[in-house]
Amino acid sequence: MSAAPLSLADARAALDWYVEMGVDVAIAEEAQDRYAESAARKAAPPASLPPRAEQAERPAAPALRPQPSAAALLATPAEGACAAREAAASAASLEELRAILEAFDGCALKTTANRLVFADGTPGAKLMLIGEAPGREEDLSGLPFVGRSGQLLDRMLAAIGLDRSSAYIANVIPWRPPGNRTPTPQETETCLPFVRRQIELAAPEIVVALGGAAAQSLFRARDGIMKLRGRWLDFDVGGRPVKAMATLHPAYLLRSPAQKALAWRDLKAIRNALAD
């Protein structure tokens, strides 16, 4: 039985999902029948080998040495993490930290991203929001949370009487992973010293991790987001205790709008804490 055609609403939702996940090009204009291609290759007669005499007369081609990847040229994992810690610690201001990140070559994600996505909002604001990594729209604009997730985040802030000027927004990873893939553990560990220093220099009173990945990285937590969200956590920033909480990522809420009730509980708790 053939599947029912998608409704206009379902097709639009599917397209929005692809855009959100970073799909921005088509593989080909026409479908390719890989099964037919494989069958044709098997049916083709094997190529005849040249006579042995010709093989003996032809000098052997020199072996090609494989070229190292861009990531290998940057640093080993240990060297990249060590360099990140030293570089982050040397920043005396957010402006210096941004300049250091612009020049940092210890993370291969920099080679595939269009630009650094450092922060948005107001340094020194009481509230700092931290996501996992930029997406396609953020990579193009250089600002965090400007796509559909960012639009929802703006509405979430407005619901508790805030906007971007009354918060400071960043990501654990400041460069977009190719195709919006999940950052590797090594990429996260390399970038963590920078976002930790960013928190120290921004000096918020409350840090909110958006989504499980950001929460697990920042708070060294093992629980999933549903167990982490909505409760205050102990978080030390440069020897200073800061109130911290994890909540659901706006991208998740776009896919699961029924969970917005949980996010609203978290937002009310954040609003009450800001008022204290």
Side-chain angles (χ1 to χ4, degrees):
M1 182 175 65
S2 60
L6 288 176
S7 66
L8 179 60
D10 289 342
R12 184 181 297 277
L15 181 59
D16 288 342
W17 168 248
Y18 286 133
V19 172
E20 187 68 31
M21 290 299 100
V23 178
D24 48 15
V25 295
I27 295 177
E29 294 295 332
E30 298 180 357
Q32 301 293 319
D33 188 344
R34 300 302 183 191
Y35 292 105
E37 292 178 4
S38 177
R41 286 195 299 269
K42 291 179 180 179
S48 58
L49 296 175
R52 291 183 178 273
E54 292 182 18
Q55 293 183 25
E57 294 173 0
R58 184 176 301 168
L64 295 178
R65 178 178 299 177
Q67 297 299 311
S69 65
L73 291 173
L74 294 173
T76 66
E79 290 171 343
C82 181
R85 289 191 294 271
E86 294 177 358
S90 69
S93 67
L94 288 170
E95 291 76 16
E96 285 187 17
L97 183 64
R98 180 175 191 138
I100 289 170
L101 269 169
E102 292 279 10
F104 184 71
D105 289 331
C107 181
L109 290 177
K110 178 181 177 181
T111 66
T112 57
N114 281 306
R115 63 187 67 194
L116 174 75
V117 180
F118 185 68
D120 195 13
T122 303
K126 287 185 176 182
L127 176 64
M128 183 170 180
L129 304 166
I130 304 175
E132 181 185 26
R136 178 177 179 271
E137 297 299 325
E138 291 76 16
D139 182 51
L140 294 174
S141 69
L143 294 172
F145 287 93
V146 295
R148 291 180 65 238
S149 295
Q151 295 167 17
L152 178 55
L153 180 61
D154 289 342
R155 296 196 294 273
M156 293 166 67
L157 290 173
I160 56 173
L162 302 177
D163 58 22
R164 285 182 181 247
S165 67
S166 49
Y168 187 59
I169 308 171
N171 283 301
V172 173
I173 308 289
W175 297 284
R176 180 199 181 194
N180 283 13
R181 66 161 171 78
T182 300
T184 67
Q186 179 56 45
E187 290 163 351
T188 299
E189 287 300 311
T190 299
C191 293
L192 264 176
F194 293 109
V195 72
R196 287 185 174 276
R197 185 59 178 154
Q198 193 173 4
I199 298 170
E200 292 178 25
L201 295 170
E205 295 181 9
I206 296 174
V207 171
V208 175
L210 299 172
Q216 290 168 351
S217 299
L218 288 171
F219 308 143
R220 297 300 190 186
R222 294 183 178 274
D223 290 335
I225 187 59
M226 287 304 180
K227 287 187 176 181
L228 283 173
R229 58 144 295 276
R231 54 189 176 93
W232 294 109
L233 305 169
D234 295 329
F235 187 48
D236 181 90
V237 180
R240 180 175 70 94
V242 175
K243 297 186 73 171
M245 179 186 287
T247 190
L248 303 174
H249 195 286
Y252 173 77
L253 296 175
L254 288 172
R255 302 191 301 272
S256 306
Q259 302 298 340
K260 289 181 179 179
L262 296 178
W264 175 235
R265 294 180 198 172
D266 301 343
L267 289 170
K268 289 191 293 184
I270 293 166
R271 180 183 61 188
N272 293 338
L274 289 170
D276 290 343

